[in-house]
């Protein structure tokens, strides 16, 4: 009926439709990413002083629970700005045909998801210990690994959270050695960092000795190099400093060239957010115990030495992710980075070469997209 030339053209057209066009559509149009795109500022920096802090705390293993609650306890909930915690237990789908999502209730006594309910009870106990200041809503999501980030981002979007806390994929044993790594958790973390509708923090728990939740003192350090992620991290550290138990040390790494009078917009914002920290004039509260330190670093090797020297002085260290941001202080370190999702500084703290038990929180500010007005 048709010639060989016509048949060849028809087959070629079918191949183009089946291969090239779907690839072009996927490249030019990504509805999944835009679904979670941040058109409104949902981060810590733009949170009003009297607004409640909404946090989505994710756990995979029972070992994540105590470290997560310790971190939440440091966020200093107050009557003027209480905490609303959404605890999400993520379980890999096995021996089931479809994903399952369970909303827990405070007074339930049994569950169909095995030991996950015991992990949830710890969050309810945290709520009782801070009665009137903390509200906990607990959920369990059983889903395939490739869809876990969808559960996290969807909940963060629906609940209008300002911060997501994810556990690091590497587990340390009691003696400080690496016990296990889970690539599924790592892939979930990377996907959430790419698509999250709010700010994200990855908590690295190196298995150090924990202080009681009502300990008399807790030492927090923040390594500040500059940029939006570091400003977000400093905002969280300032909130922690309102707690009389917390002793905050802000370590600003500056290069010798930074002492010149060359200012850009990022530098101006860094100076502004550090102003009250430097002055410590009661703007953050009369009971705040804050120390500001500047250290000069003109190379990646000097930054590494500073990190090694300060790691053991704190119970928690907060850093910004600063992914893809090049600076004099981190020059040459990106080539040796093992976990890009932590950024250069966070990767140094997570390295097995660092002999320290300090917990580390790596913060990434929400990716904000200006909504079109046309």
């Amino acid at each position: 009926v048709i010639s060989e030339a016509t048949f060849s053209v028809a087959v070629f057209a079918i191949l183009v439709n089946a291969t090239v066009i779907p690839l072009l559509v996927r490249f030019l149009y990504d509805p999944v990413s835009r679904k979670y795109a941040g058109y409104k500022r949902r981060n810590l920096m733009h949170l009003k002083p009297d607004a409640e802090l909404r946090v989505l705390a994710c756990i995979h293993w029972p070992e994540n629970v105590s470290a997560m609650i310790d971190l939440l306890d440091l966020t200093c909930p107050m009557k003027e700005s209480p905490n609303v915690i959404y605890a999400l237990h993520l379980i890999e789908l096995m021996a089931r045909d479809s994903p399952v999502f369970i909303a827990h209730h405070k007074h339930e006594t049994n569950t169909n998801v095995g030991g996950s309910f015991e992990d949830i009870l710890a969050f309810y106990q945290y709520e009782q210990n801070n009665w009137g200041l903390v509200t906990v809503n607990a959920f369990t999501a059983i889903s395939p690994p490739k869809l876990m980030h969808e559960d996290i981002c969807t909940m963060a979007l629906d609940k209008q959270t300002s911060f997501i806390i994810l556990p690091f994929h590497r587990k340390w044993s009691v003696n400080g050695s690496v016990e296990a790594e889970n690539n599924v958790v790592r892939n979930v973390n990377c996907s959430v960092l790419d698509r999250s509708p709010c700010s994200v923090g990855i908590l690295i728990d190196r298995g150090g000795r924990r202080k009681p939740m009502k300990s008399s003192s807790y030492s927090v350090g923040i390594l500040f190099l500059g940029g939006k992620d570091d400003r977000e991290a400093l905002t969280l550290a300032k909130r922690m400093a309102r707690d009389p138990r917390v002793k905050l040390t802000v370590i600003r790494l500056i290069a010798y060239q930074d002492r010149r009078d060359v200012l850009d917009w990022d530098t101006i914002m860094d100076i502004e957010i550090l102003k009250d920290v430097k002055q410590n004039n009661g703007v953050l509260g009369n009971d705040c115990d804050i120390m500001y330190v500047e250290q000069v670093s003109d190379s990646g090797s000097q930054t590494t030495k500073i990190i090694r020297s300060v790691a053991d002085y704190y119970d928690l260290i907060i850093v910004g992710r600063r992914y893809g941001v090049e600076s004099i202080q981190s020059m040459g370190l990106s080539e040796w980075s093992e976990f890009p999702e932590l950024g250069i500084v966070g990767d140094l703290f997570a390295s097995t070469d660092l002999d320290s038990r300090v917990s580390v929180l790596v913060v990434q500010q929400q990716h904000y997209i200006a909504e079109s007005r046309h």
Side-chain angles (χ1 to χ4, degrees), residues 59-67 89 115 119 171:
I59 58 173
H60 293 274
W61 313 297
E63 294 83 357
N64 301 146
V65 177
S66 57
H89 189 185
D119 302 333
K171 291 197 296 184

Side-chain angles (χ1 to χ4, degrees), residues 32-180:
V32 177
S33 295
R34 295 188 65 85
K35 175 183 176 182
Y36 306 113
Y39 297 102
K40 295 183 179 180
R41 290 183 173 90
R42 292 177 181 168
N43 52 47
L44 301 175
M45 276 192 65
H46 294 90
L47 199 65
K48 295 181 180 179
D50 57 346
E52 63 184 13
L53 175 62
R54 292 172 172 254
V55 179
L56 175 56
C58 303
I59 58 173
H60 293 274
W61 313 297
E63 294 83 357
N64 301 146
V65 177
S66 57
M68 195 71 66
I69 292 178
D70 287 349
L71 177 61
L72 293 172
D73 188 56
L74 290 174
T75 55
C76 192
M78 305 173 68
K79 289 184 178 179
E80 299 80 12
S81 55
N83 286 2
V84 179
I85 309 299
Y86 299 94
L88 179 61
H89 189 185
L90 297 157
I91 301 177
E92 185 175 349
L93 180 66
M94 299 178 65
R96 289 180 183 267
D97 295 330
S98 58
V100 177
F101 189 84
I102 301 172
H104 296 284
H105 303 284
K106 293 181 176 62
H107 303 293
E108 65 181 316
T109 57
N110 53 51
T111 185
N112 296 323
V113 290
S116 70
F117 187 62
E118 284 72 15
D119 302 333
I120 297 301
L121 283 177
F123 285 93
Y124 287 140
Q125 184 63 45
Y126 165 64
E127 179 184 23
Q128 292 179 5
N129 293 337
N130 297 271
W131 190 256
L133 304 178
V134 175
T135 302
V136 171
N137 301 278
F139 306 88
T140 296
I142 307 175
S143 57
K146 63 180 181 180
L147 296 179
M148 282 185 179
H149 69 278
E150 296 273 357
D151 294 326
I152 298 172
C153 293
T154 300
M155 175 166 286
L157 190 65
D158 293 342
K159 304 301 182 182
Q160 299 181 359
T161 61
S162 299
F163 198 51
I164 299 173
I165 307 177
L166 305 170
F168 191 47
H169 71 277
R170 175 179 281 179
K171 291 197 296 184
W172 276 266
S173 62
V174 178
N175 60 8
S177 60
V178 177
E179 181 179 320

Side-chain angles (χ1 to χ4, degrees), residues 197-218:
C198 63
S199 297
V200 183
I202 297 181
L203 178 59
I204 305 171
D205 176 26
R206 299 194 61 141
R209 292 182 299 175
R210 305 194 184 283
K211 291 187 176 182
M213 291 181 65
K214 300 303 178 183
S215 175
S216 58
S217 64
Y218 203 96

Side-chain angles (χ1 to χ4, degrees), residues 223 251 253 295-297 301-311 349:
L223 219 60
I251 306 171
L253 298 185
Q295 296 198 27
V296 177
S297 173
S301 60
Q302 286 183 329
T303 300
T304 303
K305 290 179 181 178
I306 293 173
I307 288 175
R308 293 180 184 276
S309 65
V310 304
F349 278 109

Side-chain angles (χ1 to χ4, degrees), residues 247-363:
K247 297 180 179 180
L248 175 63
T249 303
V250 180
I251 306 171
R252 187 184 183 189
L253 298 185
I254 59 174
Y256 184 76
Q257 289 84 344
D258 291 344
R259 298 179 180 272
R260 301 176 183 177
D261 297 329
V262 179
L263 298 178
D264 56 14
W265 181 246
D266 256 349
T267 305
I268 294 173
M269 294 186 67
D270 292 341
I271 294 173
E272 184 64 26
I273 198 171
L274 287 168
K275 185 182 297 182
D276 52 359
V277 174
K278 290 181 178 181
Q279 297 172 351
N280 196 14
N281 56 4
V283 175
L284 302 177
N286 296 326
D287 297 329
C288 292
D289 187 354
I290 301 178
M291 179 183 297
Y292 177 78
V293 180
E294 286 188 356
Q295 296 198 27
V296 177
S297 173
D298 286 321
S299 66
S301 60
Q302 286 183 329
T303 300
T304 303
K305 290 179 181 178
I306 293 173
I307 288 175
R308 293 180 184 276
S309 65
V310 304
D312 290 327
Y313 286 95
Y314 305 101
D315 301 305
L316 172 69
I317 289 181
I318 307 176
V319 299
R321 185 190 180 203
R322 305 179 77 250
Y323 179 70
V325 178
E326 294 292 338
S327 63
I328 297 175
Q329 297 93 330
S330 59
M331 187 176 299
L333 295 178
S334 59
E335 300 175 2
W336 305 95
S337 180
E338 184 179 4
F339 304 116
E341 66 269 24
L342 299 179
I344 295 175
V345 178
D347 183 79
L348 290 174
F349 278 109
S351 173
T352 54
D353 296 331
L354 182 67
D355 186 16
S356 175
R357 311 297 298 279
V358 65
S359 296
V360 182
L361 180 66
V362 181
V363 177

